[in-house]
Amino acid sequence: MAEASNEPYRPLTVDIDRWASEAHVETAKQLFGMLDVIDGNGALRRALTDPSRAADDRVKLVRKLFGERTHKSDTVEAVSGFVHRLLGNEEHDPAIEIVSELVKQRSANERQLGDGIERAAVTMAAASAEHRGGLDAMESLVDELIQFKNTVDHSEEIQGAFADSRASADAKARLASRLMPNASEEGALLTQRAVSEPRGALPGRLIERFAEVVADRQQRWIARIVTSRPLNHEQLEKLRQSLNSLYARDLKLAVEVDPSLIGGLRVQVGEEVIDGSVTHRLGQLQQRIGA
């Protein structure tokens, strides 16, 4: 039976951290390839976003299309063939698992699934940089994307070349490569993708969105600390060691002093907040007593 739900539609998301230990730029490429197949086939998009179709059936369709070797178009064969060459078993392929997780969710429209796959691909590229070089690699990736956007924004000739409907996607990707000859694998993939397959968006705006996704993941490496009074070197080092042990990575500390906290401190890493301030505890007490 198809699942029924009265919950409002939300953006389709997937926790890339489940595959962070094997994050690789090739997985991001594969996700973009699967997106192209789905974007290019209206019947397939409708089948994968049909709310009357059971979630398990939608997942089976993804695995059948991208996991089997037979009866495929050249594009699907190229994508699925990569799966087998890379891992030898589609059941454990991150790209197929990621898309399967996305199609399980209810889509408000056909476009939403593509947007979810695109974001997952960009996030996987960010995770690839993270896996390769931690915070520094992600900072460099953001810088590459912003540099490319600025180059495009400041040249009407380049903008015209990317907007030219007569130019092929490959030609636009080659131009992007010439503009960023020293880009990382992740930077090259994302810039070339933005100009060759923008999915209706302006390349500059799409690059900006890609940079925002990478920057969001980058925040996981920054601990934003608000304290009621300045911390000395020894206190900072103890806090750094504790946070690094808790999050299993070498965090960058950004410290701000806010006397309004009265005492204690508040720590935010990514979207997670640890609030040990006196102000927060007083607020909790007031809630309990109904003040």
Side-chain angles (χ1 to χ4, degrees):
M1 291 179 62
E3 76 278 15
S5 173
N6 292 322
E7 295 183 2
Y9 291 109
R10 299 182 178 90
L12 305 187
T13 59
V14 62
D15 184 7
I16 294 297
D17 281 347
R18 291 172 53 186
W19 300 274
S21 63
E22 52 188 313
H24 196 279
V25 69
E26 293 298 337
T27 305
K29 290 181 182 178
Q30 187 183 348
L31 285 165
F32 280 131
M34 296 168 76
L35 171 59
D36 290 340
V37 173
I38 294 169
D39 268 353
N41 189 315
L44 175 61
R45 286 197 308 278
R46 289 189 289 275
L48 292 177
T49 57
D50 184 356
S52 68
R53 188 172 190 151
D56 287 347
D57 287 344
R58 299 197 294 266
V59 170
K60 288 177 183 177
L61 179 57
V62 168
R63 294 189 179 279
K64 179 177 178 60
L65 178 64
F66 297 107
E68 294 180 354
R69 289 172 171 267
T70 58
H71 307 299
K72 294 181 174 69
S73 69
D74 291 342
T75 303
V76 176
E77 182 62 42
V79 174
S80 59
F82 174 79
V83 173
H84 290 270
R85 291 195 301 274
L86 182 64
L87 295 173
N89 184 350
E90 71 275 7
E91 293 298 325
H92 302 290
D93 176 70
I96 288 181
E97 291 180 359
I98 289 168
V99 174
S100 296
E101 287 296 320
L102 290 170
V103 300
K104 285 180 184 178
Q105 302 170 46
R106 289 169 59 85
S107 299
N109 51 57
E110 296 174 24
R111 171 82 189 195
Q112 192 178 30
L113 174 60
D115 290 345
I117 297 173
E118 182 178 71
R119 184 178 180 87
V122 178
T123 306
M124 181 57 76
S128 172
E130 178 183 27
H131 187 61
R132 173 172 55 80
L135 177 62
D136 290 343
M138 283 190 289
E139 287 179 339
S140 294
L141 179 54
V142 172
D143 289 343
E144 288 174 357
L145 296 176
I146 297 302
Q147 177 187 341
F148 183 82
K149 180 182 184 299
N150 290 339
T151 299
V152 174
D153 288 348
H154 288 87
S155 173
E156 292 185 3
E157 182 179 359
I158 294 175
Q159 292 175 38
F162 288 141
D164 188 350
S165 59
R166 297 168 297 178
S168 68
D170 286 343
K172 293 176 182 179
R174 287 194 298 270
L175 175 56
S177 179
R178 290 198 295 272
L179 293 173
M180 297 285 289
N182 299 315
S184 63
E185 282 190 274
E186 297 87 4
L189 171 65
L190 295 181
T191 52
Q192 292 174 29
R193 176 72 193 184
V195 301
S196 62
E197 299 291 344
R199 304 180 68 240
L202 293 174
R205 178 67 189 105
L206 189 55
I207 281 288
E208 188 176 346
R209 290 212 305 264
F210 287 179
E212 289 170 356
V213 172
V214 178
D216 284 345
R217 188 165 185 86
Q218 181 184 340
Q219 295 306 307
R220 299 166 69 254
W221 285 73
I222 301 174
R224 302 190 183 280
I225 301 163
V226 183
T227 178
S228 59
R229 61 181 184 274
L231 302 176
N232 61 38
H233 177 73
E234 183 179 356
Q235 289 171 321
L236 278 175
E237 282 305 307
K238 286 183 178 179
L239 181 58
R240 185 194 308 276
Q241 291 173 14
S242 297
L243 290 172
N244 287 351
S245 176
L246 178 62
Y247 289 95
R249 50 183 176 268
D250 188 11
L251 295 170
K252 177 179 179 180
L253 271 55
V255 182
E256 174 188 347
V257 176
D258 182 0
S260 69
L261 293 183
I262 305 176
L265 51 80
R266 182 172 63 243
V267 179
Q268 180 170 355
V269 179
E271 296 182 354
E272 185 173 349
V273 176
I274 304 172
D275 197 331
S277 67
V278 173
T279 301
H280 176 69
R281 294 197 294 272
L282 287 173
Q284 290 181 316
L285 179 59
Q286 288 174 337
Q287 288 180 349
R288 291 192 188 114
I289 65 177

